[in-house]
Amino acid sequence: MENYNQTSTYFILMGLFPTSRIGLILFILIALIFLMALFGNLSMIILICLDTHLHTPMYFLLSRLSFIDLNYISTIVPKMASNFLFENKSISFIGCGIQSFFFLTLAVAEALLLTSMAYDHYVVICFPLHCPIRISRRVRVLMITGSWIIGSINSCAHTTYALHIPYCRSRAINYFFCDVPAMLTLACMDTWVYEYTMFVSTSLFLVLPFVIIACSYGRVLLALYRMRSAEGRKKAYSTCSAHLTVVTFYYAPFVYTYLCPRSLRSPAEDKALAVFYTILTPTLNPIIYSLRNKEVMGALRRVTQRICSKKI
């Protein structure tokens, strides 16, 4: 067997679309979803910047979530589309490492940011008088910076390992982007040590945050049950249900993919779940947070009226 990463400088990404009319239809659908994600997340960022009513801790974190989603989907879809359009499925060894690094960094950063948003909701509803201290601007900046730093360190460790193991099987990765577990199926060495570290990493950065979010919302629901104001309860339910929907869509397929043993999953299942958390979730997030949020819709009307009045 040849040592792949010493004799070759590229991988082959098998992709998501079959080479048929169905593949073309799926490509057009994914392209439209990608454009929706770009428009939705960019609009959310611009809207939060322009409208002073949205200059609150929750929307500050939400704008950072949109920024992560914008980069997240842009890490995957453009290369996938290029491979399909130009029928060139190759990706350089270094390019694969770079894509994997940014994907893992953004994935962990988003998971930790969703936890920060749950903490924000918990403080606002359960300890409203403590908000200026517990979620001050300094605290928010530390949460965002911490999520990026932790995501980068975790990603650097996984990507470095993947780039330094010997590959000696087919160069073809049966996936549509460079994900380390998919790359390791081509390795010609026992990767049980890495699989164990992946289990630990997934537990720390996906399962533990999800447990924290679930516990915080347990306290939130109890506080809402005791709330006397019907209007306040309705507003809080709307905000929390939107966030819980986003958390479920993001965490569930991710945890299943990374914790379920490879022998119990098929490549088709992995691809379908990966589409969910890499393409659909970044598209759904701005829709969920805008359509179910009166403050966002009100801000949109105010900004639109302001722009129209200036033109007149």
Side-chain angles (χ1 to χ4, degrees):
M1 290 187 181
E2 65 172 357
N3 190 333
Y4 170 74
N5 58 0
Q6 291 180 1
T7 60
S8 300
T9 58
Y10 61 89
F11 285 112
I12 301 295
L13 293 173
M14 299 305 292
L16 185 64
F17 315 113
T19 54
S20 62
R21 184 173 294 180
I22 295 175
L24 180 61
I25 294 171
L26 288 174
F27 167 76
I28 294 171
L29 180 63
I30 294 294
L32 291 174
I33 291 173
F34 175 67
L35 293 175
M36 284 176 58
L38 292 184
F39 176 77
N41 287 292
L42 271 174
S43 299
M44 187 67 75
I45 293 170
I46 294 170
L47 188 63
I48 292 171
C49 289
L50 292 180
D51 192 87
T52 55
H53 293 82
L54 299 183
H55 292 178
T56 63
M58 183 183 76
Y59 291 107
F60 176 82
L61 295 174
L62 182 56
S63 67
R64 271 56 189 177
L65 178 66
S66 292
F67 178 76
I68 289 177
D69 282 337
L70 197 62
N71 288 276
Y72 194 36
I73 195 170
S74 298
T75 301
I76 308 297
V77 175
K79 178 59 180 174
M80 179 177 65
S82 172
N83 289 351
F84 179 79
L85 288 175
F86 299 106
E87 298 182 352
N88 178 15
K89 297 184 177 182
S90 66
I91 182 170
S92 69
F93 194 73
I94 299 300
C96 198
I98 292 172
Q99 187 184 53
S100 176
F101 173 79
F102 281 108
F103 163 71
L104 289 172
T105 299
L106 293 163
V108 172
E110 177 155 345
L112 297 178
L113 184 59
L114 288 172
T115 309
S116 300
M117 294 174 72
Y119 172 74
D120 170 71
H121 294 154
Y122 167 71
V123 173
V124 168
I125 294 172
C126 298
F127 302 97
L129 299 179
H130 296 178
C131 287
I133 298 173
R134 293 197 178 192
I135 49 174
S136 63
R137 182 174 180 82
R138 179 174 175 273
V139 172
R140 297 196 304 270
V141 171
L142 284 174
M143 288 192 296
I144 292 168
T145 306
S147 66
W148 279 95
I149 292 174
I150 293 171
S152 298
I153 294 172
N154 175 71
S155 176
C156 188
H158 287 292
T159 305
T160 301
Y161 178 86
L163 293 180
H164 283 84
I165 62 174
Y167 293 94
C168 53
R169 300 180 188 175
S170 168
R171 306 175 210 172
I173 302 174
N174 191 12
Y175 224 53
F176 57 94
F177 67 96
C178 289
D179 192 18
V180 176
M183 295 166 63
L184 294 184
T185 59
L186 310 179
C188 57
M189 61 174 283
D190 192 353
T191 58
W192 73 269
V193 174
Y194 174 78
E195 290 175 7
Y196 177 75
T197 60
M198 176 62 76
F199 176 83
V200 173
S201 178
T202 304
S203 300
L204 283 175
F205 302 124
L206 287 176
V207 177
L208 182 60
F210 184 77
V211 171
I212 293 172
I213 291 171
C215 291
S216 67
Y217 274 110
R219 294 288 302 275
V220 165
L221 290 174
L222 185 62
L224 290 177
Y225 177 76
R226 296 171 177 173
M227 191 178 289
R228 295 181 180 179
S229 170
E231 184 64 28
R233 189 187 302 119
K234 183 179 178 182
K235 181 181 176 182
Y237 267 127
S238 176
T239 302
C240 293
S241 61
H243 188 249
L244 279 173
T245 304
V246 169
V247 166
T248 304
F249 282 168
Y250 185 73
Y251 278 93
F254 233 134
V255 169
Y256 178 81
T257 301
Y258 280 81
L259 287 185
C260 185
R262 194 187 305 165
S263 58
L264 300 179
R265 310 188 322 262
S266 68
E269 287 177 341
D270 284 350
K271 286 183 181 181
L273 290 171
V275 167
F276 212 91
Y277 60 75
T278 60
I279 299 174
L280 294 182
T281 301
T283 307
L284 291 173
N285 284 356
I287 296 173
I288 292 170
Y289 278 112
S290 60
L291 293 182
R292 300 189 62 180
N293 193 313
K294 291 182 180 179
E295 291 180 346
V296 173
M297 298 306 292
L300 181 61
R301 283 193 296 271
R302 286 191 296 271
V303 170
T304 304
Q305 290 171 1
R306 196 188 313 162
I307 293 173
C308 293
S309 62
K310 287 182 178 179
K311 286 184 178 180
I312 295 173

